[in-house]
Amino acid sequence: MFDRTAGPDGAGRATGAVIRTRRRRLPLVGLLVLPLLGGLVPLLTAPGTAQAASGCSGRPAKTVAFSTGELRVYKTRAHACAVTVAKKPGKRRTMSVTLQARGGRAVSDRGSYTRMAGPVTVNALNRCVRATGAIGKKSVSTGWILC
């Protein structure tokens, strides 16, 4: 009833005939622009995140300096993160960082470090947090923040 070799205009083709199709080629300009755009993506990321430098993601919420270093607290929508960073890294000394969400248990990292104690993270969606950091015998605390 229907001729399978017939085209849309009804003209028949021999079985096994080669049908040429037109291939679409990407223009030369597209080949040059795509790598350039790919190189710009790292430059366009948010400058407020300090994940590589501190180990915490999120925006800096509070920084408290003391004589031997500083305590840094970062906040995302649902989490809080804290680190203690030495002012003069190099020699190994006792460092600690503690972070507690209101109504929750405290999370801490204590040990002998050269540069940084932490990061420690707690769930802090709609909760206040408090952080404490220490390097050697010097320590600092934030009290309840991010309320």
Side-chain angles (χ1 to χ4, degrees), residues 86 88-93 95 112-116:
K88 294 181 182 177
K91 65 179 183 176
R92 203 169 270 287
R93 51 199 152 163
M95 294 187 194
S112 181
Y113 302 110
T114 59
R115 186 176 64 98
M116 180 176 74

Side-chain angles (χ1 to χ4, degrees), residues 20-92:
R20 292 188 182 231
T21 58
R22 212 168 125 184
R23 237 181 358 177
R24 209 172 154 191
R25 294 187 183 172
L26 189 62
L28 182 61
V29 175
L31 291 174
L32 296 175
V33 171
L34 287 176
L36 291 175
L37 289 176
L40 289 176
V41 171
L43 297 176
L44 298 175
T45 58
T49 59
Q51 186 173 3
S54 70
C56 288
S57 62
R59 63 175 174 82
K62 181 92 171 172
T63 301
V64 182
F66 57 106
S67 62
T68 55
E70 60 185 20
L71 172 65
R72 298 178 186 167
V73 180
Y74 295 86
K75 177 80 170 118
T76 62
R77 182 178 176 274
H79 295 91
C81 181
V83 294
T84 301
V85 182
K87 189 179 282 186
K88 294 181 182 177
K91 65 179 183 176
R92 203 169 270 287

